[in-house]
Amino acid sequence: MTLSDQPDDQGFGIDSTATEVLAGIDLSGRFAIVTGGYSGLGLATTRALAAAGARVLVPARRTDVAREAVAGIAGVEVDELDLADLDSVRNFADRVLESGRSIDILINNAGIMATPLTRVGEGWEAQFATNHLGHFALVNRLWPALTADGGARVVVTASGAGETPRINWDDVHFENGYDKWAAYSQSKSANILFAAELDRLGRAAGVRAFSVNPGYILTPLQRHLSKEEMVGAGWIDENGTALLPEFRAPEQGAATQVWAATSPRLTEAGGGYCQACTVAKTFDGPADREAAERLWALSAELTGVDAFGKSE
């Protein structure tokens, strides 16, 4: 039986909420990190994990905004992290490692979408750099904490845009013409391939990784899109009300993230692409594996860090 055709005996689906998924699961004593865990899907994920007893660290570029957003949620703390800045990633990881805490759950939730052409770091395209390279560096730098207590779950928030992963190998940073949606789709493809390869590399150490499509959710992720664009796409009406029947609330979008991070059904499985609280697809064919290995090597070269090979 493959992962994709296993029955969902828990009965969770597209309308389930993060709270429902975690009902009966005690996360007391567990330590979780949720990037971007102070807004949209991330905030819903933070609330649900904390309510189940986990201590949650929310890394944020805007720490003042993050602290205000999570104020009053017991067991949640905030620290500074800018995923587009590798020095910031290193400094954050160093602080976590110096604390001596082992990580049970790492949800790479933060991201940007359809941004105007922006260059960061070494001239990297911002969506690829923020959505993928920053998280790649973060996971590799946090590796000692992820393996310290026998293993962890790593969840990478992707989207439907990357369900058929494609990387523009000849021009990863869009130096020869930029399309914001193509760049976004590439970053989400990278998320999926990264999770698949991370699972293959990390499973011997007890680390299982998954990518997640949370579905259609209206959140601050759309902040770079004009109202006119979203109305023209048929997403919302002139009053900002969601029109597509596929749109769900943030807590419903967060359900698959927390399911992938905690479900007992996934203890001996990993690497899959999850949606609606089930593993919808795996990327373990020869072409997928070749692409995932190539992406890992490229990411390690760009970021200078690789927990499984030579690093800086």
Side-chain angles (χ1 to χ4, degrees):
M1 178 181 289
T2 66
L3 283 173
S4 57
D5 61 20
Q6 287 184 19
D8 184 4
D9 51 14
Q10 295 171 301
F12 300 132
I14 193 170
D15 292 318
S16 299
T17 67
T19 299
E20 291 168 346
V21 167
L22 290 177
I25 294 179
D26 183 5
L27 297 180
S28 299
R30 303 294 182 89
F31 177 47
I33 297 177
V34 183
T35 68
Y38 63 99
S39 176
L41 295 177
L43 181 56
T45 297
T46 295
R47 284 177 173 150
L49 292 174
R55 292 199 59 83
V56 184
L57 174 58
V58 174
R61 184 172 57 85
R62 299 175 297 162
T63 54
D64 55 338
V65 175
R67 289 191 176 94
E68 182 177 353
V70 303
I73 306 176
V76 178
E77 58 189 287
V78 173
D79 198 355
E80 184 176 2
L81 171 64
D82 182 351
L83 287 164
D85 181 344
L86 293 184
D87 288 337
S88 177
V89 174
R90 182 183 63 248
N91 292 336
F92 170 79
D94 285 348
R95 290 192 296 273
V96 173
L97 296 179
E98 288 167 4
S99 75
R101 292 184 288 185
S102 60
I103 301 170
D104 299 290
I105 297 170
L106 172 57
I107 299 183
N108 295 322
N109 163 85
I112 56 177
M113 182 178 76
T115 62
L117 177 60
T118 307
R119 300 287 178 192
V120 300
E122 303 296 320
W124 301 335
E125 190 277 315
Q127 294 185 81
F128 185 74
T130 302
N131 297 351
H132 170 60
L133 291 176
H135 283 125
F136 176 90
L138 181 65
V139 168
N140 280 275
R141 290 196 177 280
L142 289 175
W143 194 248
L146 288 165
T147 58
D149 196 27
R153 293 273 181 98
V154 178
V155 179
V156 187
T157 306
S159 79
E163 190 169 342
T164 303
R166 291 189 180 88
I167 305 296
N168 185 7
W169 299 112
D170 295 327
D171 189 14
V172 170
H173 297 297
F174 291 84
E175 295 174 353
N176 299 308
Y178 179 70
D179 179 282
K180 65 183 181 181
W181 288 112
Y184 178 68
S185 180
Q186 174 178 259
S187 74
K188 298 291 101 178
S189 293
N191 290 155
I192 290 171
L193 293 173
F194 169 49
E197 186 65 8
L198 176 63
D199 188 77
R200 282 191 283 270
L201 292 171
R203 65 184 61 168
V207 174
R208 308 315 303 255
F210 302 86
S211 57
V212 166
N213 174 15
Y216 290 86
I217 318 290
L218 287 176
T219 72
L221 180 65
Q222 290 91 27
R223 61 187 174 274
H224 294 288
L225 299 178
S226 68
K227 176 182 174 182
E228 289 72 24
E229 283 181 282
M230 291 190 282
V231 169
W235 293 4
I236 61 174
D237 62 20
E238 291 290 345
N239 297 317
T241 302
L243 293 177
L244 293 179
E246 294 88 351
F247 275 111
R248 295 296 187 271
E251 196 181 38
Q252 292 170 311
T256 304
Q257 295 192 159
V258 299
W259 177 81
T262 63
S263 174
R265 295 180 65 236
L266 303 178
T267 302
E268 301 300 326
Y273 170 79
C274 307
Q275 58 185 11
C277 298
T278 191
V279 178
K281 193 172 183 179
T282 57
F283 292 88
D284 50 11
D288 292 325
R289 293 198 63 162
E290 180 182 0
E293 290 171 0
R294 184 176 181 182
L295 176 66
W296 189 282
L298 173 63
S299 304
E301 177 185 354
L302 291 173
T303 63
V305 59
D306 184 355
F308 303 91
K310 183 178 179 181
S311 61
E312 64 179 23

